[in-house]
Each structure stands twice: as C-alpha cells, then as structure tokens.
Amino acid sequence: MDASGRDGETPIAVVLPSPLSEVHDDRVQSHGIRLYLKRDDLIHQEIPGNKWRKLKYNLAAAKDQGHSRLLTFGGAYSNHLRAVAAAGHYFGFETIGVVRGEEHQPLNDSLTYAVGQGMRLTYLDRATYRRKSEPDVLAALTERFGSCYVVPEGGGNGPGVRGCAELPSEVDVDFDVIVCACGTGSTLAGIAAGLGGTARALGFAVLKGGRFLDEEVRRLQREAFDRVTENWAVDYEFPFGGYAKRTPELDAFITDFQARHGIMLDWVYEAKMMYGLLDRIASGAFAPGTAIVAVLS
Ligand SMILES: *Cc1c(COP(=O)(O)O)cnc(C)c1O
C-alpha cells in the first residue's frame, strides 16, 4: 500500500481478503450449525464482491492484449454493467454497455450511474440479445464501436471464473459448505473449483425456470480450468417469482434480518440465498456440527 491507501497493482483500494464474521442467530445455532458471512460486498463500493473478482483477470487480459475499450452486456438493472462502467473509469478503458431491450428515458439509476462513469450505451431487442455471443451479432457491434475486449454478461468467462476461484482460500476457519447466490453461475463455478478437501459449494438460483445453471456451471469450469468438479449443487427452490422479482415475504425477511444483524441484504440475490439457506437449515438439510460460509457479494 502507498500513502493513498492503494496497493501498487490496482488503481483502486480493494478490501481483500474480504472480512469474515460469525453470525449468531437462534435459527442457526438451535440446529447445531455454525454460520459465517464472507463479506465480499465490502470489497469495493462501486465494484463489489464477485464483480471485482470476475473483472480482475479480465481487465489484466484486456490490457495485455492491447485493448483500450471494453464491451459488455446486461439488463437495465445489471450490477455487472455498473461495475464494468466503474472499472473502465478507474482503469482507463472506454466502455460500451449493450443493454437488453428497448431504451427507456429517463434512464434508471443503474444506467444513469453507468453513463456517469463514461459508458456508452446501446440497445439490442430481446431476440438479438439472446444471440449476443454469436459471431454475426458481435461483428456488427465491433463494426460500429471499433475493436473491443468483450466481457460476457455477468463476467462469465474463464478469467472471471478463475478470479472467483480465489475466494475459498481466503477463508481462515474450517468449513463444510460454502453457499452463494447464482445469476450466471460463474461465481459458483469458481468457488467450487477453488475448494479443497471435502468441502462442498451450494448455489441458490435467483432466476426461475429451467435447470440451465447446472450445464452452465460445468461449461464455465471447463472454460476456466479444463475440468469439471463434482463438489457443488444448485438449489432451485427459492427464486421468489424470478429475477428481480420480490414478494412481501421476502421483504419481511430482509427487514427482520436487518433488525437482527444490522445487514441490509441485497434483494435481487443475497436475500433469496439467505432465505433459502435458513429454510434448508430449519428443515434439517445440514447435520448438527456443520460449518457453513455464506458469501454476500
Ligand atoms: C452479480 C451478482 C451475483 C451473481 O453472480 P453470478 O456469478 O452471475 O452467478 C450475486 N450476487 C450479487 C450481489 C451480484 O451482484
């Protein structure tokens, strides 16, 4: 660290390893379970958690390959788009954000923030967006914006998964299970690949419908490490209606968790994971004595 509080390798100050804290909650201890929170949400305010872990090696690759421009994809409320916009600002890349669906004016807070960080936005209709990784769609984008380093939606590629694989080795207590929320599944793919011993990873899907995540996690592990691990599973029971949907029950859970622990859970991801985890603990899914690490991104 130099006097500005920044380490020599990055132009931003990131809090790593992220803090680990034990949770005291009667719903957990009454089942003989120990629960720790891995506070990845505290890594950096604008590039938090798995977003930093997934971008770290992508930024290095973009630089190594001589790119000055990043192009990426996301929905209008995407945390990933915001994070890429911020990363571009701090690391000196131009950024292009390809947004799913039509433009809506005025821009929402996420997109306003992204534009404020210098991101140029463009929009793809939903049918074209679904084909965003196909060569003709990518060619049309680079034709328009010039050559770019392309970061897939959610940072889900080999460098992104390798960044997430560094998380488990930061945990300095013994644990049996590590849990995280799953959007694209890249965080789960990395965490599972980075686990040692007999520990297992469990992801809670926040999207509804289809078991596409199992295949996606395997594909991401192959891309990152040329191998697939068998030490993980996805729980599909707690999407609360689907991505970015919420219910009064989920809202009440968030309010109660904040009152108990002073932590406001992100409702798109982490609240669904924590609700699911406590529900599984309540129904006896984990043997007494199990130590669980829950990742807050
Ligand atoms: C992006 C994000 C996730 C999902 O991560 P994936 O690697 O896409 O599964 C989880 N939690 C938070 C807070 C996020 O911003």
Side-chain angles (χ1 to χ4, degrees):
M1 294 265 195
D2 65 22
S4 66
R6 293 166 178 188
D7 69 34
E9 288 172 33
T10 73
I12 58 169
V14 289
V15 179
L16 281 170
S18 62
L20 188 79
S21 62
E22 186 163 3
V23 175
H24 299 284
D25 190 310
D26 50 358
R27 296 169 294 184
V28 174
Q29 269 81 42
S30 62
H31 291 269
I33 308 284
R34 266 176 303 138
L35 177 61
Y36 301 90
L37 298 181
K38 176 76 170 149
R39 299 294 307 275
D40 263 22
D41 54 323
L42 303 177
I43 289 178
H44 188 266
Q45 208 172 358
E46 291 164 282
I47 317 177
N50 60 20
K51 299 300 181 284
W52 169 250
R53 293 188 191 277
K54 289 190 280 193
L55 284 174
K56 177 180 156 187
Y57 292 125
N58 274 300
L59 294 170
K63 195 169 164 218
D64 286 350
Q65 292 167 27
H67 287 283
S68 59
R69 193 177 294 119
L70 309 174
L71 181 142
T72 197
F73 305 87
Y77 293 91
S78 162
N79 290 337
H80 168 73
L81 276 186
R82 293 174 64 112
V84 171
H89 170 73
Y90 289 116
F91 288 77
F93 292 97
E94 287 176 36
T95 53
I96 315 290
V98 182
V99 184
R100 180 182 60 230
E102 285 158 30
E103 178 171 5
H104 293 284
Q105 289 285 355
L107 295 178
N108 69 34
D109 289 352
S110 292
L111 296 181
T112 300
Y113 170 85
V115 169
Q117 298 299 309
M119 182 173 258
R120 288 169 70 191
L121 300 180
T122 185
Y123 296 81
L124 288 182
D125 65 79
R126 278 155 204 276
T128 312
Y129 190 88
R130 241 174 271 127
R131 300 199 308 110
K132 61 189 172 307
S133 335
E134 293 180 21
D136 62 318
V137 178
L138 284 174
L141 287 167
T142 48
E143 172 91 5
R144 181 155 160 223
F145 293 105
S147 93
C148 313
Y149 182 90
V150 176
V151 183
E153 185 173 48
N157 61 2
V161 171
R162 286 194 289 276
C164 293
E166 295 175 348
L167 188 154
S169 65
E170 290 177 15
V171 178
D172 57 3
V173 299
D174 287 332
F175 64 94
D176 306 292
V177 181
I178 184 163
V179 304
C180 66
C182 290
T184 64
S186 13
T187 305
L188 177 64
I191 287 176
L195 281 179
T198 57
R200 301 187 57 79
L202 175 61
F204 285 91
V206 305
L207 288 91
K208 178 178 67 168
R211 305 236 146 186
F212 75 96
L213 265 176
D214 284 273
E215 189 42 45
E216 187 59 6
V217 170
R218 285 193 281 271
R219 185 189 72 75
L220 288 161
Q221 287 193 329
R222 263 184 234 111
E223 183 176 342
F225 296 108
D226 260 336
R227 70 188 174 96
V228 173
T229 68
E230 304 295 336
N231 58 352
W232 55 272
V234 179
D235 192 326
Y236 291 95
E237 294 303 313
F238 303 95
F240 288 87
Y243 183 72
K245 298 262 168 47
R246 59 204 294 175
T247 66
E249 193 186 4
L250 187 68
D251 289 343
F253 176 78
I254 293 170
T255 305
D256 175 69
F257 197 90
Q258 155 106 43
R260 288 173 189 251
H261 303 298
I263 293 171
M264 178 66 90
L265 295 170
D266 157 90
W267 61 272
V268 178
Y269 291 101
E270 314 312 349
K272 295 179 182 181
M273 168 194 77
M274 193 60 71
Y275 185 106
L277 176 61
L278 290 177
D279 189 286
R280 293 303 187 199
I281 289 174
S283 60
F286 302 99
T290 303
I292 301 173
V293 174
V295 178
L296 298 186
S297 260

